[in-house]
């Protein structure tokens, strides 16, 4: 029988339709799926890397936590450590030895086995600067363990499913540190294949598999149908970069995305009364601050730093810029965290006193400086440029003339880690509920190394370092609490930077989104999130 061109076209079209219906085009772009199978998250910033061990950046962790899993994880508001890849653990009485018993039968996304040898392989990569796959900054390892190898003495596979970790000194927050996305376990085969560069090649055991990354546009993950636990409820997750707050909100209203992060406090009323949207407030577990580089003049002078603290009207800042969705910060940890010292002396807004202190410091006519700021929203600074402009006007009242300099986020992080700034707006969102995660990261001399700095003030105090070391080694909670209170008193006097705000970040989602719960750390695994079809 002779078949005409029109008949061939019709048959081809039918074949494509049947193929789609029966899943033979499974590897097609996610656009071929129903909207109830694809979760799209609109966010202000792209990830910096997809290797969580080489960053401290939240927008990277938001993706990788769905790909690579840790030995343990936090639940109940970050206060309880529960099993994940490890099913149980125990420590020695002196806190120097930890043994983790691993789950059996788990596979990495490349089909290779997860076992004790894979865990040891990852630890050796993180902690050993001579390891051939130690390529990158490994910031969190340095922040938490104080160098390479730092506090960790050895990591050994006792058998195929037991790992022993020995420490040089007791480390009270050790188990909580193991919950951090930075310590997600990657496939050793992938690490070898990509020569230690996992920035675009994350291969883990998690509920989603990495598929693609178009820089500054979109990252796409596919459901891991062979996941060892309950499979995710959506087939795809897309992290879509939409830099402007108003554009993210508009796309959310139009239904082209399902969740929007880092929204402006000014949009709350509109979200609240939109019948298709649900308003979220992420629990406040952060601090936004103005980092003054203590290694550069005039910020090496305590009097100058105190003067700048007195020059900032935090209450007006919160009203004008944060729409009253923040609290003024007195110290570097949030009030909700145990160990917070609520009796600290407050540097009240007092321009006259500020000018007096500047004169005492030798700057009666003020000075010129720069304020650096990132070009996109962060949880602690939803409107960073507006915040910088407000601070500039405050400083002008005390004869400090500050030029605002804006950088993209990736470049910004590199520059302030190197200590190139004079004043920089930055912040910290806690990874787990322990003051060490805030205070050691932001204030320890160990974390003021150019290129690896988390102590962006480049503040160095022997007294604070000794107190931090004591607090890390004792397991007595009352003693630890008293040590952290003393640290805050010392830092409040030295005032290396200006603690500005503790925010309640604003998010919103379509009503079709079910099972989504914003975590205080800003990082959520998404396997429990589902979508209803919108009518």
């Amino acid at each position: 029988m002779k078949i005409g061109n029109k008949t061939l076209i019709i048959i081809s079209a039918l074949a494509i339709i049947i193929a789609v219906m029966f899943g033979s085009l499974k590897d097609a772009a996610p656009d071929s799926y129903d909207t109830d199978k694809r979760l799209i998250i609109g966010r202000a910033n792209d990830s910096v890397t997809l290797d969580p061990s080489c960053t401290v950046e939240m927008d990277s962790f938001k993706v990788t936590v769905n790909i690579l899993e840790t030995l343990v994880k936090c639940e109940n508001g970050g206060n309880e450590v529960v099993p994940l890849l490890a099913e149980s653990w125990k420590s020695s009485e002196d806190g120097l030895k930890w043994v983790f018993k691993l789950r059996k039968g788990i596979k990495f996304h490349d089909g290779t086995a997860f076992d004790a040898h894979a865990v040891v392989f990852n630890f050796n990569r993180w902690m050993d600067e001579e390891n051939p796959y130690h390529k990158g900054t490994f910031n969190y390892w340095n922040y938490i363990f104080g160098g390479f190898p730092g506090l960790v003495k050895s990591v050994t596979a006792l058998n195929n499913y037991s790992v022993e970790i020995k420490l040089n000194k007791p480390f009270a927050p050790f188990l909580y540190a193991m919950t951090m996305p930075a310590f997600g376990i990657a496939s050793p085969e992938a690490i070898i294949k990509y020569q230690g560069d996992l920035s675009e090649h994350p291969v883990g055991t998690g509920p989603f598999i990495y598929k693609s990354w178009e820089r500054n546009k979109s990252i796409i993950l596919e459901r891991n149908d062979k996941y060892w636990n309950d499979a995710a409820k959506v087939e795809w997750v897309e992290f879509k970069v939409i830099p402007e707050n108003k554009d993210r909100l508009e796309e959310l209203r139009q239904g082209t995305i399902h969740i929007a992060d880092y929204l402006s406090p000014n949009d709350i009323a509109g979200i609240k009364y939109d019948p298709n949207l649900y308003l979220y407030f992420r629990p406040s577990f952060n601090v936004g601050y103005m980092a003054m580089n203590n290694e550069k003049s005039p910020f090496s002078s305590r009097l100058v730093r105190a003067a700048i603290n007195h020059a900032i009207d935090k209450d007006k800042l919160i009203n004008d810029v944060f729409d009253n969705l923040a609290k003024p910060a007195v110290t570097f940890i949030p009030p909700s965290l145990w160990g917070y010292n609520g009796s600290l002396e407050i540097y009240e807004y007092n321009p006259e006193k500020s000018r007096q202190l500047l004169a005492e410091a030798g700057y009666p006519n003020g000075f010129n400086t720069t304020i650096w700021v990132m070009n996109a929203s962060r949880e602690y600074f939803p409107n960073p440029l507006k915040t910088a402009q407000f601070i500039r006007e405050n400083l002008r009242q005390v004869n400090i003339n500050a030029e605002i300099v804006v950088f993209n986020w990736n470049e910004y992080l590199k520059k302030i880690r190197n200590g190139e700034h004079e004043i920089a707006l930055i912040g910290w969102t806690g990874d787990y509920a322990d003051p060490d995660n805030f205070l050691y990261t932001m204030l320890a001399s160990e974390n003021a190394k150019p290129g690896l700095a988390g102590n962006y003030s480049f503040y160095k105090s022997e007294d604070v370092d000794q107190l931090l070391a004591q607090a890390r080694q004792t397991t007595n909670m009352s003693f630890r609490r008293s040590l952290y209170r003393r640290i805050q008193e010392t830092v409040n006097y030295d005032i290396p930077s200006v603690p500005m705000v503790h925010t309640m970040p604003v998010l919103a989602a379509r009503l079709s989104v079910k099972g989504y719960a914003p975590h205080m750390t800003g990082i959520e695994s998404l396997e429990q999130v589902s979508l209803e079809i919108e009518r």
Side-chain angles (χ1 to χ4, degrees), residues 67-109:
I67 304 170
L68 299 105
E69 297 177 300
T70 48
L71 296 178
V72 289
K73 65 178 181 177
C74 278
E75 287 189 350
N76 296 332
N79 291 303
E80 180 183 4
V81 177
V82 299
L84 192 54
L85 290 177
E87 62 181 19
S88 63
W89 58 87
K90 61 181 179 180
S91 66
S92 59
E93 288 188 10
D94 59 10
L96 294 177
K97 183 171 73 174
W98 293 78
V99 175
F100 292 86
K101 183 179 179 183
L102 309 180
R103 297 184 191 274
K104 298 178 181 178
I106 296 177
K107 299 283 188 182
F108 289 104
H109 298 155

Side-chain angles (χ1 to χ4, degrees), residues 13-144:
L14 287 172
I16 292 172
I17 292 170
I18 291 169
V20 172
M21 289 176 62
F22 287 94
S24 64
L25 295 182
K26 184 173 171 117
D27 292 331
D31 287 339
S32 63
Y33 287 100
D34 292 336
T35 55
D36 64 321
K37 301 297 184 183
R38 180 183 51 171
L39 175 67
I40 306 174
I41 299 172
R43 57 185 189 154
N45 310 294
D46 198 8
S47 297
V48 172
T49 176
L50 296 183
D51 183 353
S53 63
C54 291
T55 188
V56 297
E57 200 271 325
M58 188 181 300
D59 286 300
S60 298
F61 292 150
K62 286 184 176 184
V63 178
T64 64
V65 73
N66 291 282
I67 304 170
L68 299 105
E69 297 177 300
T70 48
L71 296 178
V72 289
K73 65 178 181 177
C74 278
E75 287 189 350
N76 296 332
N79 291 303
E80 180 183 4
V81 177
V82 299
L84 192 54
L85 290 177
E87 62 181 19
S88 63
W89 58 87
K90 61 181 179 180
S91 66
S92 59
E93 288 188 10
D94 59 10
L96 294 177
K97 183 171 73 174
W98 293 78
V99 175
F100 292 86
K101 183 179 179 183
L102 309 180
R103 297 184 191 274
K104 298 178 181 178
I106 296 177
K107 299 283 188 182
F108 289 104
H109 298 155
D110 59 8
T112 59
F114 165 78
D115 57 18
H117 304 287
V119 174
V120 172
F121 191 96
N122 275 264
F123 270 83
N124 286 337
R125 174 181 178 244
W126 300 332
M127 64 192 278
D128 181 6
E129 289 183 298
E130 300 302 318
N131 186 283
Y133 306 110
H134 184 93
K135 295 180 180 178
T137 55
F138 298 89
N139 306 76
Y140 253 130
W141 185 275
N142 179 64
Y143 290 175
I144 298 300

Side-chain angles (χ1 to χ4, degrees), residues 306-370:
I308 291 176
N309 270 269
H310 283 297
I312 307 301
D313 189 346
K314 295 179 187 177
D315 290 334
K316 185 171 174 54
L317 170 69
I318 288 168
N319 180 74
D320 293 359
V321 179
F322 292 82
D323 202 31
N324 287 316
L325 276 176
K327 296 179 179 178
V330 177
T331 185
F332 291 88
I333 64 175
S336 60
L337 185 59
W338 65 268
Y340 177 80
N341 190 336
S343 63
L344 296 173
E345 179 185 355
I346 297 172
Y347 286 78
E348 79 280 3
Y349 174 58
N350 189 331
E352 183 178 346
K353 187 169 185 178
S354 177
R355 287 188 286 266
Q356 179 185 347
L357 289 170
L358 286 172
E360 289 181 35
Y363 298 94
N365 299 315
F367 57 87
N368 298 326
T369 188
T370 55

Side-chain angles (χ1 to χ4, degrees), residues 271-284:
I271 297 168
K272 188 175 181 180
Y273 295 107
D274 189 315
N276 298 310
L277 303 183
Y278 189 86
L279 175 68
Y280 291 96
F281 294 104
R282 193 180 296 284
S284 180

Side-chain angles (χ1 to χ4, degrees), residues 478-490:
S478 295
F479 186 41
R480 290 192 76 207
R481 186 177 286 107
S482 68
L483 289 170
Y484 287 126
R485 288 174 64 88
R486 286 171 57 191
I487 289 168
Q488 290 167 76
E489 289 169 0
T490 301

